Amino acid sequence: MFNYGILKSNAQSIKFWLEFAIPKLGFKAVVRLIEDLNDDTNRLLEKAIYWLPLFILEKEKNSGDVLQSLREKANSKQN
C-alpha cells in the first residue's frame, strides 16, 4: 500500500505518506524504500527531502546522517 501511495503522490501528498509510514516502518526503512522506488519520472527523492526533516527527532543523529546522504544522492543526480 505504501509503495502504491508514494508512487502516486505529489509534492504535497507525499507528506501524508511519510506521516503514515515512518512511525510504522522507521525512518531508515522509509528512506530505503524511497531510494529504491525513485527514478527520473517520479522524482521521489526531491519530494521527500523537503518533508523528511520534520520527522527527525533531535536525539536521532543517525536519521540526520541518512537524510544528509539522501540529499547528496539527489544532488549528484542533478549534476
Side-chain angles (χ1 to χ4, degrees):
M1 184 168 127
F2 173 74
N3 288 2
Y4 176 80
I6 201 99
L7 287 172
K8 298 294 181 183
S9 67
N10 60 35
Q12 201 63 32
S13 66
I14 196 169
K15 181 183 178 196
F16 166 79
W17 289 103
L18 296 172
E19 287 174 338
F20 167 79
I22 289 174
K24 293 170 179 36
L25 303 174
F27 188 86
K28 288 189 247 179
V30 170
V31 168
R32 273 188 249 123
L33 285 170
I34 289 170
E35 286 178 308
D36 291 345
L37 296 171
N38 183 63
D39 61 31
D40 291 336
T41 60
N42 61 31
R43 302 172 69 174
L44 287 176
L45 283 179
E46 294 173 24
K47 295 177 204 175
I49 286 172
Y50 180 82
W51 295 109
L52 284 171
L54 296 174
F55 301 97
I56 297 176
L57 301 175
E58 287 185 26
K59 64 182 179 181
E60 294 180 357
K61 181 177 176 354
N62 289 342
S63 295
D65 294 341
V66 169
L67 179 59
Q68 183 59 34
S69 174
L70 194 63
R71 284 182 176 137
E72 290 169 5
K73 287 180 185 179
N75 286 337
S76 68
K77 284 191 174 213
Q78 289 177 353
N79 296 332

Coordinates of all heavy atoms in Angstrom, one line a residue:
M1 N 0.8 -1.2 0.0 CA 0.0 0.0 0.0 C 0.9 1.3 0.0 O 0.6 2.2 -0.7 CB -0.9 0.0 1.2 CG -1.9 1.1 1.3 SD -3.1 0.9 2.5 CE -2.9 2.4 3.4
F2 N 1.9 1.3 0.8 CA 2.8 2.4 0.9 C 3.5 2.7 -0.5 O 3.5 3.8 -1.0 CB 3.9 2.2 2.0 CG 4.9 3.3 2.0 CD1 4.6 4.6 2.4 CD2 6.2 3.1 1.5 CE1 5.6 5.6 2.4 CE2 7.1 4.1 1.5 CZ 6.8 5.3 1.9
N3 N 4.0 1.6 -1.1 CA 4.6 1.8 -2.4 C 3.7 2.4 -3.4 O 4.1 3.3 -4.1 CB 5.1 0.4 -2.9 CG 6.3 -0.1 -2.2 OD1 6.8 0.5 -1.2 ND2 6.8 -1.2 -2.6
Y4 N 2.5 1.9 -3.5 CA 1.5 2.5 -4.4 C 1.2 3.9 -4.1 O 1.2 4.8 -5.0 CB 0.2 1.7 -4.4 CG -0.9 2.3 -5.3 CD1 -0.9 2.0 -6.6 CD2 -1.9 3.1 -4.7 CE1 -1.9 2.6 -7.4 CE2 -2.9 3.6 -5.5 CZ -2.8 3.4 -6.9 OH -3.8 3.9 -7.7
G5 N 1.0 4.2 -2.9 CA 0.7 5.6 -2.5 C 1.8 6.6 -2.7 O 1.6 7.7 -3.2
I6 N 3.0 6.1 -2.4 CA 4.1 7.0 -2.5 C 4.4 7.3 -4.0 O 4.8 8.4 -4.4 CB 5.4 6.5 -1.8 CG1 6.4 7.6 -1.5 CG2 6.1 5.4 -2.5 CD1 6.3 8.2 -0.2
L7 N 4.2 6.3 -4.8 CA 4.5 6.4 -6.3 C 3.4 7.4 -6.9 O 3.7 8.1 -7.9 CB 4.5 5.1 -7.0 CG 5.7 4.2 -6.8 CD1 5.5 2.8 -7.3 CD2 6.9 4.9 -7.3
K8 N 2.2 7.4 -6.4 CA 1.1 8.3 -6.9 C 1.2 9.6 -6.3 O 0.4 10.5 -6.7 CB -0.2 7.6 -6.7 CG -0.4 6.3 -7.4 CD -0.4 6.5 -8.9 CE -0.6 5.1 -9.6 NZ -0.5 5.3 -11.0
S9 N 2.0 9.9 -5.3 CA 2.0 11.1 -4.5 C 2.6 12.3 -5.3 O 3.4 12.1 -6.3 CB 2.7 11.0 -3.2 OG 4.1 10.8 -3.5
N10 N 2.2 13.5 -4.9 CA 2.8 14.7 -5.5 C 3.6 15.3 -4.4 O 3.7 14.8 -3.3 CB 1.7 15.6 -6.0 CG 0.7 16.1 -5.0 OD1 1.0 16.2 -3.8 ND2 -0.6 16.2 -5.4
A11 N 4.1 16.5 -4.6 CA 5.0 17.2 -3.7 C 4.2 17.5 -2.3 O 4.9 17.5 -1.3 CB 5.5 18.5 -4.2
Q12 N 2.9 17.6 -2.4 CA 2.2 17.9 -1.1 C 1.7 16.6 -0.5 O 1.9 16.5 0.7 CB 1.0 18.8 -1.5 CG 0.4 19.5 -0.4 CD 1.4 20.5 0.2 OE1 2.2 21.1 -0.4 NE2 1.2 20.8 1.5
S13 N 1.2 15.7 -1.2 CA 0.6 14.5 -0.6 C 1.7 13.5 -0.1 O 1.3 12.6 0.7 CB -0.3 13.8 -1.6 OG 0.4 13.3 -2.7
I14 N 2.9 13.6 -0.5 CA 3.9 12.7 0.0 C 4.1 12.9 1.5 O 4.4 11.9 2.2 CB 5.3 12.9 -0.8 CG1 6.2 11.7 -0.5 CG2 5.9 14.2 -0.4 CD1 7.4 11.7 -1.4
K15 N 3.8 14.0 2.0 CA 3.9 14.3 3.5 C 2.9 13.3 4.2 O 3.3 12.7 5.2 CB 3.6 15.7 3.8 CG 3.7 16.0 5.3 CD 3.3 17.4 5.6 CE 3.3 17.6 7.1 NZ 2.6 18.8 7.5
F16 N 1.7 13.1 3.7 CA 0.8 12.2 4.3 C 1.4 10.8 4.3 O 1.3 10.1 5.4 CB -0.5 12.2 3.5 CG -1.4 11.0 3.8 CD1 -2.2 11.1 4.9 CD2 -1.5 9.9 3.0 CE1 -3.0 10.0 5.2 CE2 -2.3 8.9 3.3 CZ -3.1 8.9 4.4
W17 N 2.0 10.4 3.3 CA 2.5 9.0 3.2 C 3.7 8.9 4.2 O 3.9 7.8 4.8 CB 2.9 8.6 1.8 CG 1.7 8.4 1.0 CD1 1.1 9.3 0.1 CD2 0.8 7.3 1.1 NE1 0.0 8.8 -0.4 CE2 -0.3 7.6 0.2 CE3 0.8 6.2 1.8 CZ2 -1.3 6.7 0.0 CZ3 -0.3 5.3 1.6 CH2 -1.3 5.5 0.8
L18 N 4.5 9.9 4.3 CA 5.6 9.9 5.2 C 5.1 9.8 6.7 O 5.6 9.0 7.5 CB 6.5 11.1 5.1 CG 7.3 11.1 3.7 CD1 8.0 12.5 3.6 CD2 8.2 10.0 3.5
E19 N 4.1 10.6 7.0 CA 3.5 10.6 8.3 C 2.9 9.2 8.6 O 2.9 8.7 9.8 CB 2.3 11.6 8.4 CG 2.8 13.0 8.5 CD 1.7 14.0 8.4 OE1 0.6 13.7 8.0 OE2 1.9 15.2 8.9
F20 N 2.4 8.5 7.6 CA 1.8 7.2 7.8 C 2.9 6.1 8.0 O 2.8 5.3 8.9 CB 1.0 6.8 6.5 CG 0.6 5.4 6.5 CD1 -0.5 4.9 7.2 CD2 1.2 4.5 5.6 CE1 -0.9 3.6 7.1 CE2 0.9 3.2 5.5 CZ -0.2 2.7 6.3
A21 N 3.9 6.2 7.2 CA 4.9 5.1 7.2 C 6.0 5.2 8.2 O 6.4 4.1 8.7 CB 5.5 5.0 5.8
I22 N 6.5 6.3 8.5 CA 7.7 6.4 9.3 C 7.4 5.9 10.7 O 8.3 5.1 11.2 CB 8.2 7.9 9.3 CG1 8.9 8.2 8.0 CG2 9.2 8.1 10.5 CD1 9.3 9.6 7.8
P23 N 6.3 6.2 11.4 CA 6.1 5.6 12.7 C 6.0 4.0 12.7 O 6.3 3.3 13.6 CB 4.8 6.2 13.2 CG 4.7 7.4 12.4 CD 5.3 7.2 11.1
K24 N 5.5 3.5 11.6 CA 5.3 2.1 11.4 C 6.5 1.3 11.0 O 6.8 0.2 11.5 CB 4.1 1.8 10.5 CG 2.8 2.3 11.0 CD 1.7 2.2 10.0 CE 0.4 2.6 10.4 NZ 0.2 3.7 11.4
L25 N 7.2 1.9 10.0 CA 8.4 1.2 9.4 C 9.7 1.7 9.9 O 10.7 1.0 9.8 CB 8.3 1.4 7.9 CG 7.1 0.9 7.2 CD1 7.1 1.2 5.7 CD2 6.9 -0.6 7.4
G26 N 9.8 2.9 10.3 CA 11.0 3.5 10.8 C 11.6 4.4 9.7 O 11.3 4.3 8.5
F27 N 12.3 5.4 10.1 CA 12.9 6.4 9.2 C 13.8 5.8 8.1 O 13.6 6.1 7.0 CB 13.6 7.5 10.0 CG 14.1 8.7 9.2 CD1 13.2 9.8 9.1 CD2 15.3 8.7 8.7 CE1 13.6 10.9 8.3 CE2 15.8 9.8 8.0 CZ 14.9 10.9 7.8
K28 N 14.7 5.0 8.6 CA 15.7 4.5 7.6 C 15.0 3.5 6.6 O 15.4 3.5 5.4 CB 16.8 3.7 8.4 CG 17.7 4.6 9.1 CD 18.9 3.9 9.6 CE 18.9 3.9 11.1 NZ 20.0 3.2 11.7
A29 N 14.1 2.8 7.1 CA 13.4 1.8 6.1 C 12.6 2.6 5.1 O 12.6 2.2 3.9 CB 12.4 0.9 6.9
V30 N 11.9 3.7 5.5 CA 11.2 4.5 4.5 C 12.1 5.2 3.5 O 11.9 5.2 2.3 CB 10.3 5.6 5.3 CG1 9.7 6.6 4.3 CG2 9.2 4.8 6.1
V31 N 13.3 5.7 4.0 CA 14.2 6.3 3.1 C 14.7 5.2 2.1 O 14.9 5.5 0.9 CB 15.4 6.9 3.9 CG1 16.6 7.3 3.0 CG2 14.9 8.1 4.7
R32 N 15.0 4.0 2.6 CA 15.5 3.0 1.6 C 14.4 2.7 0.6 O 14.8 2.5 -0.6 CB 15.9 1.7 2.4 CG 17.3 1.7 2.9 CD 17.7 0.4 3.5 NE 17.9 0.7 4.9 CZ 17.3 0.1 5.9 NH1 16.5 -0.9 5.6 NH2 17.5 0.4 7.1
L33 N 13.2 2.6 1.0 CA 12.1 2.4 0.0 C 12.0 3.5 -1.0 O 11.8 3.2 -2.2 CB 10.8 2.2 0.7 CG 10.5 0.9 1.5 CD1 9.3 1.0 2.3 CD2 10.4 -0.2 0.5
I34 N 12.1 4.7 -0.5 CA 12.1 5.9 -1.4 C 13.3 5.8 -2.4 O 13.1 6.0 -3.6 CB 12.1 7.2 -0.7 CG1 10.7 7.3 0.0 CG2 12.3 8.4 -1.6 CD1 10.6 8.5 1.0
E35 N 14.4 5.5 -1.9 CA 15.6 5.3 -2.8 C 15.4 4.3 -3.9 O 15.7 4.5 -5.0 CB 16.9 5.0 -2.0 CG 17.4 6.2 -1.2 CD 18.6 5.8 -0.4 OE1 18.5 4.8 0.3 OE2 19.6 6.5 -0.5
D36 N 14.8 3.1 -3.5 CA 14.6 2.0 -4.4 C 13.5 2.4 -5.4 O 13.6 2.0 -6.6 CB 14.1 0.8 -3.6 CG 15.2 0.2 -2.8 OD1 16.4 0.5 -3.0 OD2 14.9 -0.6 -1.9
L37 N 12.5 3.2 -5.1 CA 11.4 3.5 -6.0 C 11.7 4.7 -6.8 O 11.0 5.0 -7.8 CB 10.1 3.7 -5.2 CG 9.6 2.5 -4.4 CD1 8.4 2.9 -3.5 CD2 9.1 1.4 -5.4
N38 N 12.7 5.5 -6.4 CA 13.0 6.8 -7.1 C 13.5 6.5 -8.5 O 14.2 5.6 -8.8 CB 14.0 7.5 -6.3 CG 14.3 8.9 -6.9 OD1 13.5 9.8 -7.0 ND2 15.6 9.0 -7.4
D39 N 13.0 7.4 -9.4 CA 13.6 7.4 -10.8 C 13.3 8.8 -11.4 O 12.8 9.7 -10.7 CB 13.0 6.3 -11.7 CG 11.5 6.4 -11.9 OD1 10.9 7.5 -11.9 OD2 10.9 5.3 -12.1
D40 N 13.7 9.0 -12.6 CA 13.6 10.3 -13.2 C 12.2 10.8 -13.4 O 11.9 12.0 -13.5 CB 14.4 10.4 -14.5 CG 15.9 10.3 -14.3 OD1 16.4 10.7 -13.2 OD2 16.6 9.9 -15.2
T41 N 11.3 9.8 -13.5 CA 9.9 10.2 -13.8 C 9.1 10.6 -12.5 O 8.3 11.5 -12.6 CB 9.1 9.1 -14.5 OG1 9.1 7.9 -13.7 CG2 9.7 8.8 -15.9
N42 N 9.4 10.0 -11.4 CA 8.6 10.3 -10.2 C 9.3 11.2 -9.3 O 8.7 11.9 -8.4 CB 8.2 9.0 -9.5 CG 9.4 8.2 -9.0 OD1 10.4 8.7 -8.7 ND2 9.2 6.9 -8.9
R43 N 10.6 11.3 -9.3 CA 11.4 12.3 -8.6 C 11.1 12.3 -7.1 O 11.0 13.3 -6.4 CB 11.3 13.7 -9.1 CG 11.7 13.7 -10.6 CD 11.4 15.0 -11.2 NE 12.3 16.0 -10.6 CZ 12.4 17.3 -11.1 NH1 11.7 17.7 -12.0 NH2 13.2 18.1 -10.5
L44 N 11.0 11.0 -6.5 CA 10.6 10.9 -5.1 C 11.6 11.5 -4.2 O 11.3 12.0 -3.1 CB 10.4 9.4 -4.8 CG 9.2 8.7 -5.3 CD1 9.2 7.2 -5.0 CD2 7.9 9.4 -4.8
L45 N 12.9 11.4 -4.5 CA 13.9 11.9 -3.6 C 13.7 13.4 -3.4 O 13.7 13.9 -2.3 CB 15.3 11.7 -4.2 CG 15.9 10.3 -4.1 CD1 17.3 10.3 -4.7 CD2 16.0 9.9 -2.6
E46 N 13.5 14.1 -4.5 CA 13.3 15.6 -4.3 C 12.1 15.9 -3.5 O 12.1 16.8 -2.7 CB 13.2 16.2 -5.7 CG 14.5 16.1 -6.5 CD 14.4 16.6 -7.9 OE1 13.4 17.4 -8.2 OE2 15.2 16.1 -8.8
K47 N 11.0 15.2 -3.7 CA 9.8 15.4 -3.0 C 9.9 15.1 -1.5 O 9.5 15.9 -0.6 CB 8.6 14.6 -3.5 CG 8.2 14.9 -4.9 CD 7.1 14.0 -5.3 CE 7.0 13.8 -6.8 NZ 6.0 12.8 -7.2
A48 N 10.6 14.0 -1.2 CA 10.7 13.5 0.2 C 11.7 14.4 1.0 O 11.5 14.6 2.1 CB 11.1 12.1 0.2
I49 N 12.8 14.8 0.3 CA 13.8 15.6 1.1 C 13.2 16.8 1.7 O 13.6 17.2 2.7 CB 15.0 15.9 0.1 CG1 15.8 14.6 -0.1 CG2 15.8 17.0 0.7 CD1 16.9 14.8 -1.2
Y50 N 12.2 17.4 1.0 CA 11.6 18.6 1.6 C 10.9 18.3 2.9 O 11.0 19.1 3.9 CB 10.6 19.2 0.6 CG 9.9 20.4 1.1 CD1 10.5 21.7 1.0 CD2 8.6 20.4 1.7 CE1 9.9 22.8 1.4 CE2 8.0 21.5 2.1 CZ 8.6 22.7 2.0 OH 8.0 23.9 2.4
W51 N 10.2 17.2 3.0 CA 9.4 16.9 4.2 C 10.1 16.1 5.3 O 9.8 16.1 6.5 CB 8.1 16.1 3.8 CG 7.2 16.9 3.0 CD1 6.9 16.8 1.7 CD2 6.4 18.0 3.4 NE1 6.1 17.7 1.2 CE2 5.7 18.5 2.3 CE3 6.3 18.7 4.6 CZ2 4.8 19.6 2.4 CZ3 5.4 19.8 4.7 CH2 4.7 20.2 3.6
L52 N 11.1 15.3 4.9 CA 11.8 14.4 5.9 C 12.4 15.0 7.1 O 12.3 14.5 8.2 CB 12.8 13.5 5.2 CG 12.3 12.4 4.3 CD1 13.4 11.8 3.5 CD2 11.6 11.4 5.2
P53 N 12.9 16.3 7.0 CA 13.4 16.9 8.3 C 12.4 17.0 9.4 O 12.7 17.0 10.6 CB 13.9 18.2 7.8 CG 14.3 18.0 6.4 CD 13.2 17.1 5.9
L54 N 11.1 17.1 9.0 CA 10.0 17.2 10.0 C 9.9 15.9 10.9 O 9.4 15.9 12.0 CB 8.7 17.4 9.4 CG 8.5 18.7 8.6 CD1 7.1 18.7 7.9 CD2 8.6 19.9 9.5
F55 N 10.5 14.8 10.4 CA 10.3 13.5 11.1 C 11.5 13.1 11.8 O 11.6 12.0 12.4 CB 9.9 12.4 10.1 CG 8.6 12.8 9.4 CD1 8.6 13.4 8.1 CD2 7.4 12.6 10.0 CE1 7.4 13.7 7.5 CE2 6.2 12.9 9.3 CZ 6.2 13.5 8.1
I56 N 12.6 13.9 11.9 CA 13.8 13.6 12.6 C 13.7 14.2 14.0 O 13.6 15.4 14.2 CB 15.0 14.1 11.9 CG1 15.1 13.4 10.5 CG2 16.3 13.8 12.7 CD1 16.3 14.0 9.7
L57 N 13.9 13.3 15.0 CA 14.0 13.8 16.4 C 15.4 14.2 16.6 O 16.4 13.6 16.1 CB 13.6 12.7 17.3 CG 12.1 12.2 17.2 CD1 11.9 11.0 18.1 CD2 11.1 13.2 17.4
E58 N 15.6 15.2 17.5 CA 16.9 15.7 17.8 C 17.9 14.6 18.3 O 19.1 14.7 18.0 CB 16.9 16.9 18.7 CG 16.3 18.1 18.1 CD 16.4 19.3 19.1 OE1 17.2 19.3 20.0 OE2 15.6 20.2 18.9
K59 N 17.4 13.7 19.0 CA 18.2 12.7 19.6 C 18.6 11.6 18.6 O 19.4 10.7 18.9 CB 17.5 12.0 20.8 CG 16.2 11.3 20.4 CD 15.6 10.7 21.6 CE 14.3 10.0 21.2 NZ 13.5 9.4 22.3
E60 N 18.0 11.6 17.4 CA 18.3 10.6 16.4 C 19.4 11.1 15.4 O 19.0 11.5 14.3 CB 17.0 10.2 15.7 CG 16.0 9.5 16.5 CD 14.8 9.1 15.8 OE1 14.7 9.4 14.6 OE2 13.9 8.5 16.4
K61 N 20.6 11.1 15.8 CA 21.7 11.6 14.9 C 21.8 10.7 13.6 O 22.0 11.2 12.5 CB 23.0 11.6 15.6 CG 24.1 12.1 14.7 CD 25.4 12.1 15.5 CE 26.6 12.5 14.6 NZ 26.5 12.7 13.2
N62 N 21.5 9.4 13.7 CA 21.6 8.5 12.6 C 20.6 8.9 11.5 O 20.9 8.8 10.3 CB 21.4 7.1 13.0 CG 22.5 6.5 13.8 OD1 23.6 7.0 13.7 ND2 22.3 5.4 14.5
S63 N 19.4 9.3 11.9 CA 18.4 9.7 10.9 C 18.9 11.0 10.2 O 18.7 11.1 9.0 CB 17.1 10.0 11.6 OG 16.5 8.8 12.1
G64 N 19.5 11.9 10.9 CA 20.1 13.1 10.2 C 21.2 12.7 9.2 O 21.2 13.3 8.2
D65 N 22.0 11.7 9.6 CA 23.0 11.3 8.7 C 22.4 10.6 7.4 O 22.9 10.8 6.3 CB 24.0 10.3 9.4 CG 24.8 10.9 10.5 OD1 24.9 12.1 10.5 OD2 25.3 10.1 11.4
V66 N 21.4 9.9 7.6 CA 20.7 9.2 6.5 C 20.1 10.3 5.6 O 20.2 10.2 4.3 CB 19.6 8.3 7.0 CG1 18.7 7.8 5.9 CG2 20.2 7.1 7.7
L67 N 19.5 11.3 6.2 CA 18.9 12.4 5.4 C 20.0 13.1 4.6 O 19.9 13.5 3.4 CB 18.2 13.4 6.2 CG 17.5 14.6 5.5 CD1 16.6 14.1 4.4 CD2 16.8 15.5 6.5
Q68 N 21.2 13.4 5.2 CA 22.3 14.1 4.5 C 22.8 13.2 3.4 O 23.0 13.8 2.3 CB 23.4 14.4 5.5 CG 24.5 15.1 4.9 CD 24.1 16.5 4.3 OE1 23.2 17.1 4.8 NE2 24.7 16.9 3.2
S69 N 22.9 11.9 3.6 CA 23.3 11.0 2.5 C 22.3 11.1 1.3 O 22.7 11.1 0.1 CB 23.4 9.6 3.0 OG 23.6 8.7 2.0
L70 N 21.0 11.1 1.7 CA 19.9 11.2 0.6 C 20.0 12.5 -0.1 O 19.9 12.5 -1.4 CB 18.6 11.1 1.3 CG 17.4 10.8 0.5 CD1 17.5 9.5 -0.2 CD2 16.1 10.9 1.3
R71 N 20.3 13.6 0.6 CA 20.5 14.9 -0.1 C 21.7 14.9 -1.1 O 21.6 15.4 -2.2 CB 20.7 16.0 0.9 CG 19.5 16.5 1.6 CD 19.8 17.6 2.6 NE 18.6 18.1 3.2 CZ 18.4 18.3 4.5 NH1 19.5 18.2 5.3 NH2 17.3 18.8 5.0
E72 N 22.8 14.2 -0.7 CA 23.9 14.1 -1.5 C 23.6 13.3 -2.8 O 24.1 13.7 -3.9 CB 25.1 13.5 -0.8 CG 25.7 14.5 0.3 CD 26.6 13.8 1.3 OE1 27.0 12.6 1.1 OE2 27.0 14.5 2.2
K73 N 22.9 12.3 -2.6 CA 22.5 11.4 -3.8 C 21.6 12.2 -4.7 O 21.8 12.2 -6.0 CB 21.7 10.2 -3.3 CG 22.6 9.1 -2.7 CD 21.8 7.9 -2.3 CE 22.7 7.0 -1.6 NZ 22.0 5.8 -1.1
A74 N 20.7 13.0 -4.2 CA 19.8 13.8 -5.0 C 20.6 14.9 -5.8 O 20.4 15.1 -7.0 CB 18.7 14.5 -4.2
N75 N 21.6 15.5 -5.1 CA 22.4 16.5 -5.7 C 23.3 15.9 -6.8 O 23.5 16.5 -7.9 CB 23.3 17.2 -4.7 CG 22.5 18.2 -3.9 OD1 21.4 18.6 -4.3 ND2 23.0 18.5 -2.7
S76 N 23.8 14.7 -6.6 CA 24.7 14.1 -7.6 C 23.8 13.7 -8.9 O 24.4 13.7 -10.0 CB 25.4 12.9 -7.0 OG 24.5 11.8 -6.8
K77 N 22.6 13.4 -8.7 CA 21.7 13.0 -9.8 C 21.4 14.3 -10.7 O 21.2 14.2 -11.9 CB 20.4 12.4 -9.4 CG 20.6 10.9 -9.0 CD 19.3 10.3 -8.8 CE 19.5 8.8 -8.6 NZ 18.5 8.0 -9.1
Q78 N 21.3 15.4 -10.0 CA 21.0 16.7 -10.7 C 22.2 17.2 -11.5 O 22.0 17.8 -12.5 CB 20.5 17.7 -9.7 CG 19.2 17.4 -9.2 CD 18.8 18.5 -8.1 OE1 19.6 19.3 -7.7 NE2 17.5 18.4 -7.7
N79 N 23.4 16.9 -11.0 CA 24.6 17.4 -11.7 C 25.1 16.5 -12.7 O 25.0 15.5 -13.2 CB 25.7 17.6 -10.7 CG 25.4 18.7 -9.7 OD1 24.6 19.6 -10.0 ND2 25.9 18.6 -8.5

